[in-house]
Structures are given as C-alpha cells and as structure tokens.
C-alpha cells in the first residue's frame, strides 16, 4: 500500500519534536450498500475511502493528524502536523520495520467485489418476498444490504509493520405490520466477517419470517404492566444491555480516567457467581472479529469477569500507558479519521448450566424479553433504559400473552449482581457500536438469563 522506506521517513519526521512513539495507520476501503423497498432497489451506493492517520505519543500526551494524500510529501506534511502537537527535548529514532505475518481464522471464500450487484439484489428480493408474504397485515418491508473490504497497514516506531484485509457482509430486514388501528415493527440484521458466501448461506426463511413474525405478534399484544419483576432476557441480541451498561465501563477509555464504576476493582466481586463475561475478537468469521486490532496487536480472548470476579479490562496502547498495563488487542477505530481507543469486539456472557425450559419453569411471575430494541446508557454510572421489541408475560412457570411497550430500566453493575440463572444456549447478534473512535461492527451475545428483579416500564395498573 505504501513503501516501507517512505513509512520509515514518516515515523522519523513524526518523532522530531520529542515524541517517544509514532504510528502510521493506512486504510483502503471499498464498500457497497443497496436498499430495497416495495421489491424495488431504491438506492445503490459504492465507494472507496483511502487515507492515512499519524499518531505521536510523549508520555501520556497524544497528537493525531490524518490525510488523504498518499504521496511522500503529503505523508510528511501530516507527520509534521502531528509532531507539532508534541513538545519535548529528546529525539527518539524509530526502530527498523519488521514485517509481521498475520494468521487469520477468518477465511473468505468469495470477495464481495467479485460479485455482480444483480446477485446481491436477488438475495434482497428473496428476503423481501418471504417477509412480505408472511401475513396479510405486513404492509411494508425494507431490506438493506452492506458489504465492505478494508485493507489496513499499521506501522510504528517500535518496528511493527503489519497488514490485514477485513471483509464484512450484513443483511438488515425490517417489517411493518398494521391492522388499521396501529402499527408495529420487527427487525433482524445478521452480519459476519465473511464474503458473499455469508449471503448465500443465510437461512432467509428464518430471518425474514422472524422479522415479520415479531411485527405481527406485537400488533396483537397487550400493554406491558409496569413495576418490579423477575425478567428473563433471551439469548443473542439480548446481550446488548450488558454491552452498553457494563462493557463500556470495562474499556480503558473510561477506566484509565476513573470514569467507570469498575475502576480499581480488579479481583473484586462485581457480578453474580453465575456470570462470566468475555470479549473475544478471535471467534471465526463473527461480525465483530479481527485478526489484528487497529494498533497492529493480535486479537485475543479477554476474560473480563469470571464467576462474578473482575479479572481485567479492555486496553489500548495509550490508555495502557496511563494504567501501567499492556494492550489487550482492543485498540479500534472507525477509519483513518479517528485515533484508536479501547473498544469491544464480540462481547458476551458465557454459557451457564440451566436450560431455557428450566429458567422459564422456575419463574413464578415475571416478564420474558425475547428481542431487545434500542436504548440509552450513562457509561459513567451504568444507568440504562432499553426498549423491548418483543416481550411476554410469564406466570406459574409458563409463557403467557405477548406484551408491547416494555422498557427495562436499571443500573448495569447492579443488574450483573442480580443475574440468578444463566442458560446454555449462547448465541451472538450483530450490531454497530458508537464511541470516541467512531462507529464499529460488534457482536453482543449471551445465553438466556434471568435477572431476579428489574424495573419494567409500561402501563401503570396493568396486570
């Protein structure tokens, strides 16, 4: 992508004002998006984004500059701009660059760039037909297709020189149902670190039907009661609550500055004994997986909480300096326009010993949240509220009527301590996560869990 000799000159220039570390991140990204509505392709956008980010450290100081000019002159100009943000006396010399070989678990069979748009549109139309014909109350179906190929090169003054190619594909399906009096929606958005083979292998009958089934089911649902109840949260995207309310609090971005309830808690009990919480970027072909992070460190499995005990954090290079701890392969960024910071990859609650049937049978009275929707969280305190896309009443250990309008309200660290049953049906759901270094593909996941008590927002007086 860029000659090694040029990068060495750029790193030397970036260190000229006394920095003690310099890094080059080069990116070349190709992306395609298609949208379909009323069985017609409404939009098709293809683009290429190329640029280089240059970062300099001195102690805990950091300066960052980026450019889309890949010439030696353009790169040196950006290096001088980054260097200008660092003032010091020492002039460190960059180590010779050594090419590192990447071993990736994420095999790609068919690169999206090799596939005609007609084949991509055919997948969308098939999903549309399945979703639209699910039930007569389905009034509208929207399908969105995404694929991207991202080539990155990362080099730094410590001698690192590594390249990687990342390929991701995703299909999003949204169905809207109406009975003339009201409207409800359902959504499913599977994604993977794979090429077009992911689309060809998708069980569209499941995903498209499920999006419509949710909408139709919620159309006939009763209003959810409000109060404090035991809440069963199903697997897969149910893990979004702990991603938002706890995962962000375990990132060094917050911990290093003391802006997390988990700061200085290593070795302390922070969750129920049945909770083990993991971030693993090495899971083969998962949506949030990586071979290397955006600082060139190998992705790895990080056990954050084990049987309720806090074991570690997600750490990037700069915040690792502040904490006196090594990187955990967690430095990520949306693109060259962002400096990296600590971020999640595939974060999940590990399997427990209970079966889903046992969890439901052992719940006398409560709420079952089958699919979660969007929400808000205060990452400093862990306070959250999340909408439930599909919910049911649970009474006498049996599933009851569907409920709409449910909202789960609580505090992430407190909720972790109230998890009293964990199922054995771990599954992951694809999503996008926004933070200081931009929007990134991540997986959230868990088996079915039960929280002994949660505040449920709904209609007062409903039983």
């Amino acid at each position: 992508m860029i000659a090694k000799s040029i990068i060495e000159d750029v790193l030397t220039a970036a260190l000229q004002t006394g920095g003690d570390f310099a890094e080059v991140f080069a990116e070349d990204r190709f992306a395609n998006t298609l949208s379909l509505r009323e069985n017609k392709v409404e939009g098709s956008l293809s683009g290429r984004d190329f640029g280089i980010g240059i970062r300099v450290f001195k102690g805990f100081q950091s300066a960052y500059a980026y450019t889309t000019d890949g010439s030696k002159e353009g790169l040196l100009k950006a290096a001088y701009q980054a260097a200008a943000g660092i003032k010091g006396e020492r002039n460190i010399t960059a180590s010779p660059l050594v090419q590192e070989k990447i071993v990736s678990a994420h095999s790609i069979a068919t690169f999206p760039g090799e596939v005609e748009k007609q084949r991509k549109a055919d997948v969308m139309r098939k999903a549309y037909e399945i979703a639209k014909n699910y039930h007569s109350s389905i009034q509208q179906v929207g399908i969105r297709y995404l694929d991207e190929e991202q080539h990155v090169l990362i080099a730094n003054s410590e001698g690192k020189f590594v390249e990687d190619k990342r390929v991701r594909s995703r299909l999003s399906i949204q169905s809207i149902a109406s009975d003339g009096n009201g409207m409800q929606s359902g959504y499913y958005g599977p994604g993977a670190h794979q090429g077009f083979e992911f689309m060809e292998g998708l069980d569209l009958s499941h995903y498209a039907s499920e999006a419509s089934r949710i909408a139709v089911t919620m159309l006939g649902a009763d209003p959810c009661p409000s109060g404090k109840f035991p809440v069963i949260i199903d697997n897969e995207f149910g893990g979004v609550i702990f991603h938002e309310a706890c995962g962000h609090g375990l990132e060094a971005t917050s911990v290093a500055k003391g802006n997390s309830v988990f700061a200085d808690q290593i070795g302390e009990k922070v969750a129920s004994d049945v909770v083990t919480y993991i971030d693993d970027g090495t899971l083969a072909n998962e949506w949030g997986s990586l071979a290397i992070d955006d600082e060139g460190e190998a992705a790895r499995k990080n056990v954050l909480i084990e049987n309720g005990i806090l074991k570690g954090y997600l750490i990037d290079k700069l915040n690792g300096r502040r904490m006196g701890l090594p990187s955990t392969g967690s430095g990520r960024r949306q693109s060259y326009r962002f400096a990296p910071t600590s971020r999640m990859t595939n974060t999940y609650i590990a399997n427990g010993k209970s079966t889903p049937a046992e969890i439901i049978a052992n719940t006398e009275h409560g709420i079952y949240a089958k699919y979660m929707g969007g929400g808000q969280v205060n990452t400093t305190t862990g306070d959250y509220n999340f909408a439930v896309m599909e919910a049911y009443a649970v009474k006498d250990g049996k599933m009851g009527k569907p409920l709409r309008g449910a909202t789960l309200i609580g505090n992430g660290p407190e909720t972790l301590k109230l998890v009293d049953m964990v199922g054995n049906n771990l599954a992951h759901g694809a999503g996008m996560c926004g933070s200081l270094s931009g929007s990134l593909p991540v997986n959230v996941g868990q088996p079915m869990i039960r929280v002994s008590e949660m505040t449920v927002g709904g209609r007062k007086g409903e039983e």
Side-chain angles (χ1 to χ4, degrees), residues 131 134-135 138 175 177 185-186 188 206-219 370-371 390 392:
Y134 177 83
H135 192 271
I138 297 296
S175 297
S185 65
Y188 226 131
H206 167 69
Y207 290 112
S209 295
E210 194 69 349
S212 291
R213 186 200 60 76
I214 295 167
V216 173
T217 300
M218 289 298 97
L219 201 59
K370 182 170 178 60
Y371 287 117
E390 181 180 3
Y392 295 84

Side-chain angles (χ1 to χ4, degrees), residues 123-297:
V123 172
M124 299 171 70
R125 289 193 176 96
K126 184 177 179 181
Y128 175 89
E129 292 292 343
I130 294 169
K132 186 69 169 64
N133 294 325
Y134 177 83
H135 192 271
S136 59
S137 65
I138 297 296
Q139 300 297 304
Q140 191 176 89
V141 174
I143 311 290
R144 187 170 185 268
Y145 170 99
L146 164 72
D147 67 50
E148 67 174 29
E149 300 179 33
Q150 181 197 33
H151 181 196
V152 298
L153 182 157
I154 302 160
N156 65 36
S157 56
E158 295 173 348
K160 181 177 290 294
F161 186 95
V162 62
E163 295 182 77
D164 188 26
K165 190 165 189 175
R166 303 158 178 174
V167 179
R168 288 190 171 87
S169 302
R170 193 179 189 193
L171 191 71
S172 300
I173 306 161
Q174 184 173 49
S175 297
I176 298 175
S178 175
D179 59 4
N181 297 314
M183 300 176 68
Q184 293 290 326
S185 65
Y187 172 84
Y188 226 131
H193 190 302
Q194 283 184 286
F196 193 69
E197 69 273 13
F198 173 72
M199 296 294 175
E200 293 181 311
L202 270 180
D203 184 354
L204 294 177
S205 294
H206 167 69
Y207 290 112
S209 295
E210 194 69 349
S212 291
R213 186 200 60 76
I214 295 167
V216 173
T217 300
M218 289 298 97
L219 201 59
D222 292 339
C224 182
S226 63
K228 291 188 175 182
F229 310 101
V231 175
I232 298 167
I233 306 174
D234 213 344
N235 63 356
E236 201 173 322
F237 203 72
V240 69
I241 287 183
F242 294 102
H243 166 97
E244 294 289 356
C246 300
H248 282 297
L250 294 169
E251 293 170 336
T253 309
S254 300
V255 177
K257 298 176 182 178
N259 295 329
S260 168
V261 292
F262 296 110
D264 301 318
Q265 296 292 306
I266 295 292
E268 299 294 323
K269 188 173 178 60
V270 297
S272 162
D273 291 343
V274 295
V275 173
T276 292
Y277 197 47
I278 296 168
D279 184 271
D280 189 353
T282 70
L283 298 177
N285 294 112
E286 290 291 350
W287 175 246
S289 293
L290 301 159
I292 57 171
D293 73 358
D294 291 328
E295 296 178 317
E297 297 293 325

Side-chain angles (χ1 to χ4, degrees), residues 341-422:
T341 191
S342 55
R343 303 290 296 275
M344 288 172 273
T345 57
N346 307 303
T347 314
Y348 59 95
I349 294 176
N351 267 327
K353 298 179 179 180
S354 301
T355 67
E358 288 170 343
I359 294 173
I360 294 171
N362 280 277
T363 304
E364 184 177 347
H365 177 64
I367 303 293
Y368 166 47
K370 182 170 178 60
Y371 287 117
M372 297 301 302
Q376 295 179 323
V377 63
N378 182 324
T379 56
T380 300
T381 64
D383 293 335
Y384 65 80
N385 65 80
F386 278 88
V388 181
M389 186 162 54
E390 181 180 3
Y392 295 84
V394 178
K395 191 170 184 179
D396 298 326
K398 296 180 180 180
M399 293 285 294
K401 57 190 178 182
L403 303 171
R404 56 183 168 83
T407 303
L408 303 184
I409 303 165
N411 175 273
E414 291 178 6
T415 303
L416 278 175
K417 296 175 182 177
L418 296 174
V419 176
D420 61 0
M421 296 186 79
V422 176

